Amino acid sequence: GEGRASEKVSDEPWWVEMKETLALFRTSKMMHLTLLFWYTGFNQPYQLVTYGNRFFADSTFGLLLALFYSMEIIGSWTVAKLLDDSTRSLLMRSKRCLMLFVATMLIGTAVALYMELYRSYSDDDEFPGGVEHKQAWWNVAPGAVAMAFWGFSDAFIQGFSYWLMGVGYKEGTEKARAVGYFKLVQSFGWCAGFAISPVDRVGPIVQLFLTVGCCIGGVGLSLLELPGSDAEA
């Protein structure tokens, strides 16, 4: 059968679209959302590299990554259900989502901070110890909690960010540019996170607090751009 023709979003050449996308840096809406978008890329280098590679053996970390991405699926489903709740205003849906995101992110972070601060490590270069240490249940169990909550919160806030752009921009061209801006800022966050991930550049606890700071600051600024309670669902 005949394939369905794709919708043409814009008649402008690519360089015009790039210029207009970059121009979003100067808009108040995106200024308020930039830090939250940045967080969606900046968070994972600490979570999956600085934390994950240091605390767990490769085989164990593989299972924890499977848990992380499984919880991403649940996080995506959950944010969709909350945002589709037509019995509540858009403003109330937004606030509920942000509260749940911050709570789940902080639970994972609290567990990681506990492990960073209070575990006893060996003094050799194999920090934080050999395979037996890394595979011990008392090391893996809290790690699983952290990875589960981080996976959930990561997909949750990304889904929320796309929804926020969807309700904040009405025209197809505007939506496309907003998504392009989001992916650009997210990529910058990824690059910055990996740039500081070696612990001889920036200490792991400092990395952790930088991630939390981006999260809390991003959520706080995004409150200025939540849809009004009188908006249509």
Side-chain angles (χ1 to χ4, degrees):
E2 296 182 359
R4 182 178 178 182
S6 60
E7 180 182 355
K8 189 175 184 180
V9 176
S10 174
D11 293 320
E12 300 290 350
W14 68 267
W15 61 85
V16 174
E17 289 299 328
M18 182 179 69
K19 176 183 176 183
E20 294 301 321
T21 298
L22 293 176
L24 292 175
F25 276 102
R26 302 194 303 268
T27 64
S28 61
K29 179 186 291 291
M30 283 306 187
M31 285 182 182
H32 294 148
L33 296 177
T34 292
L35 190 56
L36 186 65
F37 293 171
W38 170 279
Y39 167 83
T40 66
F42 187 74
N43 62 337
Q44 289 193 32
Y46 170 79
Q47 295 169 358
L48 304 185
V49 178
T50 305
Y51 172 77
N53 285 342
R54 286 166 53 249
F55 277 92
F56 311 106
D58 290 345
S59 58
T60 304
F61 190 44
L63 293 174
L64 293 180
L65 284 176
L67 174 63
F68 180 93
Y69 289 111
S70 296
M71 292 303 295
E72 291 235 3
I73 297 172
I74 298 175
S76 299
W77 178 84
T78 303
V79 73
K81 293 294 289 185
L82 291 177
L83 292 174
D84 284 343
D85 183 4
S86 59
T87 64
R88 301 177 187 272
S89 69
L90 293 180
L91 181 61
M92 182 56 65
R93 295 181 224 175
S94 302
K95 290 181 176 179
R96 292 178 74 204
C97 285
L98 288 177
M99 286 189 292
L100 181 56
F101 160 63
V102 170
T104 53
M105 185 281 300
L106 288 179
I107 291 173
T109 299
V111 173
L113 181 60
Y114 167 77
M115 294 177 72
E116 294 280 9
L117 290 174
Y118 296 111
R119 292 299 187 200
S120 296
Y121 301 112
S122 59
D123 294 329
D124 61 19
D125 293 335
E126 296 295 323
F127 178 90
V131 172
E132 289 186 3
H133 175 107
K134 292 181 176 181
Q135 291 184 332
W137 70 267
W138 45 262
N139 186 65
V140 175
V145 173
M147 298 300 285
F149 278 97
W150 278 340
F152 180 95
S153 64
D154 179 66
F156 191 96
I157 196 58
Q158 291 198 56
F160 178 80
S161 297
Y162 281 114
W163 176 83
L164 201 56
M165 289 182 282
V167 298
Y169 294 92
K170 303 305 179 184
E171 299 297 329
T173 302
E174 293 178 336
K175 292 178 188 290
R177 292 169 181 167
V179 171
Y181 179 90
F182 168 73
K183 299 304 293 184
L184 176 65
V185 174
Q186 184 184 56
S187 297
F188 285 158
W190 267 92
C191 293
F194 280 114
I196 68 172
S197 62
V199 294
D200 57 350
R201 293 182 184 174
V202 179
I205 295 179
V206 175
Q207 293 183 40
L208 180 59
F209 278 111
L210 286 173
T211 303
V212 173
C214 289
C215 172
I216 301 301
V219 169
L221 288 171
S222 72
L223 294 174
L224 300 172
E225 297 300 334
L226 299 183
S229 58
D230 58 344
E232 292 294 329

